Amino acid sequence: RCLALTTREHGQRRLLVPILDLANHAFVPSAFFSLATKTASGTAIRLQAARPLALGEEVTITYGEHTNAHFVQHYGFVPAGVNAF
């Protein structure tokens, strides 16, 4: 799965991020990812909780605001619940 990330310096980029690309989708995610440029090992992708999480709670990210047709074509599923897009 390819993740989209937008930065001021580079604009929108598509990235392959091993392990993070296994995260499930939620329209209201429990976490978000960003570019961390000043780490001990150089540039990295940072995953942060969007709110306090309960023990055992699933960590989710958003795949973006897409139609159901886009989700089924690109991700192989249609999200549960009402999709406003």
Side-chain angles (χ1 to χ4, degrees):
R1 178 173 325 141
C2 192
L3 303 174
L5 182 69
T6 301
T7 67
R8 286 185 202 118
E9 183 178 346
H10 302 290
Q12 185 176 43
R13 296 285 189 244
R14 301 240 177 239
L15 308 167
L16 294 175
V17 184
I19 307 303
L20 181 57
D21 67 354
L22 297 174
N24 285 327
H25 165 77
F27 286 116
V28 180
S30 63
F32 62 93
F33 58 94
S34 61
L35 185 67
T37 57
K38 297 180 180 178
T39 70
S41 59
T43 303
I45 300 297
R46 177 183 296 146
L47 179 66
Q48 291 181 262
R51 57 179 168 71
L53 300 174
L55 182 64
E57 185 176 351
E58 181 179 23
V59 176
T60 59
I61 60 174
T62 181
Y63 294 180
E65 299 173 345
H66 305 295
T67 64
N68 285 345
H70 180 93
F71 273 103
V72 78
Q73 182 179 11
H74 294 274
Y75 301 112
F77 73 97
V78 173
V82 177
N83 180 355
F85 309 101

